[in-house]
Amino acid sequence: MIEIVKRVTSALIAAPVFLYLTWLGGWVFIVTLLTVSVVIQLEIVRMIANKGVEVQMPMVLILGIPVLLISVLPDVAWILFLTLLLITLIIETFSTSGYGWRRLMVTLMVALLIPILLSGLLVLRSIGTTETGFAITATFLFMVWANDIFAFIGGRTLGKHPLAPSISPNKTVEGFFSGFGGSFFALYLSMTFLPDLHFDWKIAIPFAVLIGLFGPVGDLAESKLKRVAGIKDSSGLMPGHGGLFDRFDAMLFAAPAAAVYFQILQLFSAF
């Protein structure tokens, strides 16, 4: 019961703050995502350190910055990324570590993967006018959060069939499909109460389906990494929730999926 109270209290504080920063948009939102990216990267470094895996810590933290900025400053960000990448390669080439190239590969993965995935949120926020971009991004957040809540409740009350027992024994098929219900419920509320969300159901339904599919996959991906690392939570940053990686795991997969979906719609002038 105490853990549930902690979980709800943390969510009631963190969710409105993140929504407010999303509403502000612009560089405030970019800096917010950069901060989230760095924290998650630090959590991942801590996780893999349990298995004796080394990284180039400075490059992990700075190499991903231009990656996240490519969608808003493509030319400058690309030049900065190439410069930092060359520096990373030079450092590892002259390193005396016996695991130099393994360290290089892990450094690049941790440095690039999280900001690349988070950039999906920047793409969503930049769609259309600032009001439309916020409405779409807020709807995305509501659907991800509702998916998680409904999946948790559905799994606890109805769950009988394991979804992926070798990765996360507590997740069930019933919880997975309950999560879809949460995504559609949040979508319906957003379409009802957000006037700047100019959706019809032909656009909205695939959007909710993508969240229902990719959100849980992101959750499972983090669970798999935690199982390999032998830890329960990515950190203790958020009482009742763990770390930022624990809170953003579903978004990390769902955001780029949603971004690709809307880019395709815009490409064919369907939105």
Side-chain angles (χ1 to χ4, degrees):
M1 184 65 182
I2 295 177
E3 284 302 312
I4 294 178
V5 172
K6 288 181 180 179
R7 188 182 182 94
V8 172
T9 303
S10 293
L12 289 177
I13 295 172
V17 170
F18 191 72
L19 270 175
Y20 176 67
L21 296 171
T22 303
W23 176 74
L24 290 176
W27 281 101
V28 173
F29 189 52
I30 292 171
V31 171
T32 299
L33 292 184
L34 285 172
T35 304
V36 170
S37 178
V38 167
V39 173
I40 293 177
Q41 287 169 321
L42 289 172
E43 291 176 344
I44 293 176
V45 169
R46 167 183 167 270
M47 292 164 69
I48 62 178
N50 285 347
K51 294 299 180 180
V53 179
E54 297 179 356
V55 298
Q56 292 182 29
M57 180 61 78
M59 303 317 294
V60 162
L61 299 180
I62 64 175
L63 188 58
I65 294 175
V67 174
L68 195 56
L69 296 178
I70 282 177
S71 62
V72 290
L73 294 171
D75 294 335
V76 175
W78 183 242
I79 292 171
L80 179 59
F81 170 72
L82 288 178
T83 302
L84 292 172
L85 180 60
L86 288 172
I87 293 172
T88 306
L89 293 171
I90 291 170
I91 291 173
E92 209 54 77
T93 298
F94 291 96
S95 169
T96 58
S97 171
Y99 300 96
W101 284 99
R102 186 183 76 168
R103 186 172 68 174
L104 173 63
M105 293 300 104
V106 176
T107 297
L108 292 178
M109 185 198 74
V110 179
L112 303 182
L113 182 61
I114 300 304
I116 286 173
L117 297 176
L118 282 174
S119 68
L121 284 171
L122 277 182
V123 173
L124 293 178
R125 186 62 183 85
S126 65
I127 294 174
T129 64
T130 185
E131 293 80 11
T132 299
F134 171 70
I136 292 174
T137 310
T139 300
F140 167 82
L141 295 174
F142 294 149
M143 287 196 293
V144 170
W145 292 335
N147 182 282
D148 183 56
I149 293 169
F150 275 59
F152 177 79
I153 295 173
R156 284 292 184 92
T157 57
L158 304 173
K160 294 181 179 179
H161 303 90
L163 179 64
S166 64
I167 301 175
S168 183
N170 293 328
K171 290 182 172 54
T172 63
V173 174
E174 291 80 4
F176 173 74
F177 284 106
S178 297
F180 271 97
S183 295
F184 276 98
F185 178 65
L187 175 63
Y188 171 75
L189 291 180
S190 292
M191 292 178 68
T192 302
F193 295 107
L194 291 180
D196 296 306
L197 190 68
H198 306 297
F199 278 0
D200 58 34
W201 283 103
K202 289 186 296 184
I203 292 174
I205 289 175
F207 187 22
V209 170
L210 283 173
I211 304 309
L213 287 173
F214 282 92
V217 173
D219 195 343
L220 287 173
E222 195 221 2
S223 295
K224 189 170 186 176
L225 180 57
K226 289 193 294 186
R227 179 169 288 271
V228 171
I231 62 174
K232 181 180 182 294
D233 295 320
S234 59
S235 76
L237 184 63
M238 296 180 64
H241 289 273
L244 283 191
F245 195 13
D246 296 303
R247 282 298 82 213
F248 278 81
D249 53 4
M251 290 186 206
L252 290 175
F253 277 50
V260 169
Y261 172 62
F262 280 102
Q263 290 297 303
I264 292 174
L265 289 179
Q266 290 182 316
L267 183 64
F268 290 97
S269 301
F271 177 72

